[in-house]
């Protein structure tokens, strides 16, 4: 029987609380299914800065390189906000993405019918929304050189460089076509090719690859227009593929229209490694209070089971258990509405484990 080795990086803020919940769910699922999971912990983010002097210590990276997948909580908090960019907790995230070559970031945006009233959009607009943003994660203006603050003619100038090689574009575009094939077969590619040469190249590559995926319908949108269409017709999207900076922005927009940021998982995939984490951040304001919503992290483990371990049945079990728990009316404060059962992190986790036990036999 295979043993799946998971590197666990709990991080800061609510990170440890939500990751602990996810581990409890995974352990129970392991018992039910006979699959073994092994967890080993490493430090990342602010806690790593405090204990080791850097946001991504070498030993954490080595742990991740040896593991079959990485589960991450969240990094950052006010305590470290005044450090220079190169020493902040977020730098640990950027370093691990690059070191594991996690070039495709999958961020599903799904409106859950029991939570539809939490969407800031009108119900009739939000209903049925179920798309996934695939954001390139290891290139673009995030990593391009030159970068920095320099002096020109006695004045400071800030410089970052938007840069993509065709290979970098092609691999993420291919990944997006493949994901689209398994879904509703519609791909929206987002760029700013009316202004940027980098985007012109991006669009060319999408057009070239389109020929290899004749079953997928392709739409190109400029990023500003896409930002608008996401709030006007969100249910018309299936897969959106875009570069790092546009994807950063659009994926937050996509997350908020679902009304349930605390519910959204993500996967960051490369050829050899994969990392799974909730879309939400470390939420320092509620850390330690026992009220954080663990669902995004629990659903991130479902993505891990699906994309890294090919355990579709187990992934489904987790997703179904979450839906059943919502149907039963359990809500953490962030998704609470009147008439529902308000619970904290631990009780939500218990409720999901109960649902998992109920549905497992029938799957
Ligand atoms: C994200 C975050 C990060 C990013 C920050 C924290 C560096 O906003 O994961 O979307 O910009 O990639
Ligand atoms: Mg972001």
């Amino acid at each position: 029987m295979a043993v799946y080795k998971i590197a666990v990086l709990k991080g800061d803020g609510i990170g440890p609380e939500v990751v602990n919940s996810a581990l409890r769910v995974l352990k129970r699922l392991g018992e039910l299914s006979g699959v073994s999971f092994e967890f080993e912990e490493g430090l990342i983010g602010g806690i790593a800065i405090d204990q080791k002097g850097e946001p991504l210590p070498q030993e954490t990276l080595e742990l991740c390189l040896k593991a079959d997948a990485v589960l991450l909580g969240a990094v950052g908090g006010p305590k470290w906000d005044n450090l220079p960019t190169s020493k902040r907790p977020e730098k640990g995230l950027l370093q691990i993405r690059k070191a594991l070559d996690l070039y495709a970031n999958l961020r599903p945006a799904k409106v859950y019918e029991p939570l539809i009233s939490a969407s800031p959009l009108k119900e009739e607009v939000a209903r049925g929304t179920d798309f996934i943003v695939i954001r390139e994660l290891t290139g673009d203006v995030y990593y391009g050189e030159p970068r920095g603050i320099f002096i020109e003619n006695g004045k400071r100038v800030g410089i970052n460089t938007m840069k993509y090689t065709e290979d970098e574009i092609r691999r993420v575009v291919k990944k997006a076509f493949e994901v689209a094939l398994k879904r509703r077969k519609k791909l929206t590619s987002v760029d700013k090719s009316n202004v940027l040469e980098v985007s012109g190249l991006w669009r060319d590559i999408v057009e070239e690859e389109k020929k290899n995926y004749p079953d997928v319908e392709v739409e190109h949108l400029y990023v500003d227009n896409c930002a608008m269409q996401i709030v006007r017709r969100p249910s018309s999207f299936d897969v959106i593929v875009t570069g790092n900076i546009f994807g950063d922005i659009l994926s937050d927009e996509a997350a908020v229209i679902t009304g349930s940021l605390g519910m959204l998982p993500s996967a960051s995939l490369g050829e050899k490694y994969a990392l799974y984490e909730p879309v939400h951040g470390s939420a320092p304001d509620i850390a330690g209070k026992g009220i954080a919503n663990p669902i995004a992290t629990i659903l991130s483990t479902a993505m891990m089971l699906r994309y890294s371990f090919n355990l579709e049945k187990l992934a489904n079990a987790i997703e179904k258990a979450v839906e059943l728990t919502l149907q039963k009316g359990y809500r953490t404060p962030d998704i609470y509405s009147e008439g529902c059962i308000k619970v904290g992190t631990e009780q939500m986790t218990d409720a999901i484990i109960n649902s998992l036990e109920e549905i497992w036999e029938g799957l």
Side-chain angles (χ1 to χ4, degrees):
M1 179 55 83
V3 179
Y4 296 98
K5 281 202 293 191
I6 302 172
V8 177
L9 316 182
K10 295 180 178 174
D12 308 315
I14 59 171
E17 299 163 55
V18 293
V19 170
N20 286 338
S21 289
L23 296 185
R24 281 183 57 206
V25 174
L26 266 187
K27 273 186 201 137
R28 186 69 190 113
L29 186 60
E31 288 162 8
L32 291 168
S33 64
V35 173
S36 304
F37 302 108
E38 224 176 73
F39 308 118
E40 204 176 325
E41 288 188 33
L43 297 173
I44 194 167
I47 187 168
I49 296 175
D50 289 352
Q51 293 189 18
K52 303 279 166 185
E54 47 188 346
L56 180 66
Q58 184 62 26
E59 60 216 71
T60 299
L61 182 57
E62 275 161 24
L63 171 73
C64 297
L65 291 169
K66 280 190 324 208
D68 297 313
V70 181
L71 180 65
L72 188 137
V75 301
K79 183 176 176 193
W80 306 280
D81 271 352
N82 294 324
L83 295 171
T85 335
S86 62
K87 299 216 160 58
R88 288 167 62 109
E90 290 84 349
K91 190 73 188 179
L93 265 187
L94 300 181
Q95 285 170 341
I96 200 170
R97 289 171 182 170
K98 198 71 178 172
L100 303 183
D101 200 19
L102 306 173
Y103 63 84
N105 181 216
L106 279 54
R107 296 186 172 187
K110 182 172 154 132
V111 171
Y112 287 85
E113 193 58 31
L115 302 182
I116 194 159
S117 62
S119 171
L121 300 181
K122 291 189 191 118
E123 286 192 14
E124 65 267 28
V125 178
R127 179 159 291 118
T129 295
D130 179 6
F131 66 90
I132 176 160
V133 178
I134 301 190
R135 164 191 178 192
E136 200 289 330
L137 203 59
T138 50
D140 202 353
V141 68
Y142 270 62
Y143 296 91
E145 299 279 348
R147 66 184 299 156
I149 298 174
F150 304 95
I151 304 289
E152 267 177 24
N153 304 323
K155 296 274 187 195
R156 285 169 301 166
V157 293
I159 297 182
N160 288 94
T161 302
M162 183 176 264
K163 177 176 170 185
Y164 267 124
T165 66
E166 65 175 311
D167 292 351
E168 283 175 320
I169 301 171
R170 196 176 305 279
R171 62 182 186 171
V172 71
V173 164
K174 277 178 165 297
K175 182 76 90 189
F177 271 109
E178 269 147 33
V179 172
L181 273 181
K182 291 196 192 142
R183 294 176 47 105
R184 300 193 305 277
K185 302 189 175 53
K186 186 170 173 207
L187 182 64
T188 304
S189 173
V190 176
D191 63 44
K192 188 71 187 172
S193 57
N194 49 345
V195 179
L196 303 173
E197 285 76 9
V198 181
S199 281
L201 179 62
W202 182 281
R203 196 173 278 222
D204 289 347
I205 306 278
V206 173
E207 282 297 305
E208 288 166 27
E209 284 303 322
K210 191 166 104 174
K211 304 188 181 89
N212 299 323
Y213 302 88
D215 293 338
V216 178
E217 181 196 334
V218 175
E219 156 186 67
H220 295 278
L221 290 181
Y222 297 138
V223 62
D224 48 351
N225 185 23
C226 183
M228 210 158 60
Q229 301 309 330
I230 283 177
V231 292
R232 280 179 64 188
R233 52 168 177 95
S235 63
S236 75
F237 293 104
D238 180 22
V239 178
I240 294 178
V241 65
T242 190
N244 203 345
I245 185 84
F246 299 156
D248 178 44
I249 299 163
L250 293 180
S251 62
D252 264 27
E253 188 191 15
V256 78
I257 64 162
T258 68
S260 40
L261 188 57
M263 306 263 310
L264 300 177
S266 81
S268 302
L269 310 176
E271 298 308 334
K272 276 172 75 184
Y273 303 102
L275 178 147
Y276 300 83
E277 62 180 314
V279 163
H280 62 70
S282 59
D285 51 320
I286 60 162
K289 294 190 177 157
I291 56 169
N293 186 348
I295 292 180
T297 314
I298 291 169
L299 290 174
S300 297
T301 66
M303 292 187 89
M304 175 187 293
L305 295 167
R306 172 171 299 122
Y307 290 105
S308 282
F309 306 155
N310 255 314
L311 297 169
E312 185 62 30
K313 180 179 171 191
L314 275 67
N316 261 324
I318 290 187
E319 288 166 354
K320 291 229 163 67
V322 166
E323 285 193 29
L324 177 61
T325 307
L326 292 173
Q327 276 161 22
K328 291 177 185 167
Y330 291 98
R331 303 283 188 275
T332 42
D334 57 308
I335 51 174
Y336 177 76
S337 61
E338 226 180 284
C340 293
I341 312 161
K342 196 187 267 185
V343 293
T345 313
E346 285 301 303
Q347 292 160 290
M348 180 58 105
T349 311
D350 293 339
I352 291 172
I353 290 175
N354 282 336
S355 298
L356 191 60
E357 290 165 347
E358 275 171 46
I359 60 167
W360 178 255
E361 287 305 327
L363 281 179

